[in-house]
Amino acid sequence: IGEKRITLDYQQSPSEALREPLRFVVYAPSESPPDAFEKTSFTFTNMTFSQANFAFDSDEFRPGEPFRLYADSLKTYLQLNPGKILSIVGHTDHIDTEAYNYDLGLRRAKSARQFLRSMGITSEIAVESMGETRPVATNKTEEGRAKNRRVNFVLPDEGQ
């Protein structure tokens, strides 16, 4: 199977009992081109948060517990590495115009930055928007559009 046909997806289990721990789905080329979706990152230096963080057409950052735990570690890391610059990249689904979604993505990144500031993070934080241009899921379903409403937190590599 080609690498571009494999992707990581996630969904919260509806119950405490984990009945289906792992599921693999292979995308058929006719369903979506191999390069149709950006791969989501889940590493400390390139972390993506979506779904519960932004409601449709909203820039209000509503972080859940996973983000709060990440942000606490991020705060410690930035205190120990004062020269590091954090970049926050805002994304949207495809509903509305490209220009509107670019602005909405930027407002989402700024809202996430403000949340980090309220936690006491004083390091330099750059913000940017990709708007609707880098979906991680289909925009044909509400579930997919929710995954596309997200922010990325990126720290530079050691060589930068």
Side-chain angles (χ1 to χ4, degrees):
I1 297 175
E3 179 184 336
K4 292 185 177 194
R5 292 183 64 197
I6 301 172
T7 186
L8 175 66
D9 198 0
Y10 59 94
Q11 183 176 356
Q12 185 171 351
S13 176
S15 72
E16 294 291 318
L18 189 59
R19 302 187 191 288
E20 189 178 279
L22 190 58
R23 176 175 47 176
F24 293 95
V25 178
V26 177
Y27 292 109
S30 61
E31 292 176 23
S32 60
D35 295 327
F37 304 121
E38 182 172 280
K39 293 194 183 220
T40 308
S41 294
F42 299 102
T43 65
F44 183 76
T45 59
N46 190 349
M47 183 62 79
T48 300
F49 290 93
S50 62
Q51 290 182 307
N53 293 324
F54 294 101
F56 170 72
D57 198 30
S58 172
D59 62 8
E60 179 188 353
F61 188 56
R62 303 174 310 176
E65 188 62 22
F67 176 78
R68 292 175 189 275
L69 294 171
Y70 172 77
D72 189 52
S73 296
L74 188 60
K75 180 180 179 180
T76 301
Y77 174 83
L78 291 170
Q79 287 172 339
L80 295 172
N81 297 276
K84 294 287 185 178
I85 299 171
L86 174 67
S87 292
I88 303 176
V89 184
H91 301 269
T92 68
D93 59 34
H94 78 303
I95 296 177
D96 217 305
T97 67
E98 198 171 313
Y100 179 83
N101 285 332
Y102 177 84
D103 180 64
L104 179 58
L106 191 58
R107 288 185 286 135
R108 287 178 174 168
K110 288 178 179 179
S111 180
R113 176 175 62 188
Q114 185 55 41
F115 181 85
L116 294 176
R117 294 282 186 236
S118 74
M119 291 183 59
I121 294 178
T122 58
S123 299
E124 185 175 343
I125 301 174
V127 294
E128 64 179 302
S129 174
M130 291 297 157
E132 64 188 56
T133 63
R134 292 189 175 167
V136 294
T138 181
N139 275 301
K140 294 179 181 178
T141 66
E142 174 51 39
E143 181 182 76
R145 288 188 298 271
K147 288 179 182 176
N148 290 329
R149 298 190 292 264
R150 69 193 191 282
V151 283
N152 258 117
F153 297 85
V154 182
L155 289 163
D157 293 334
E158 288 301 316
Q160 294 180 346

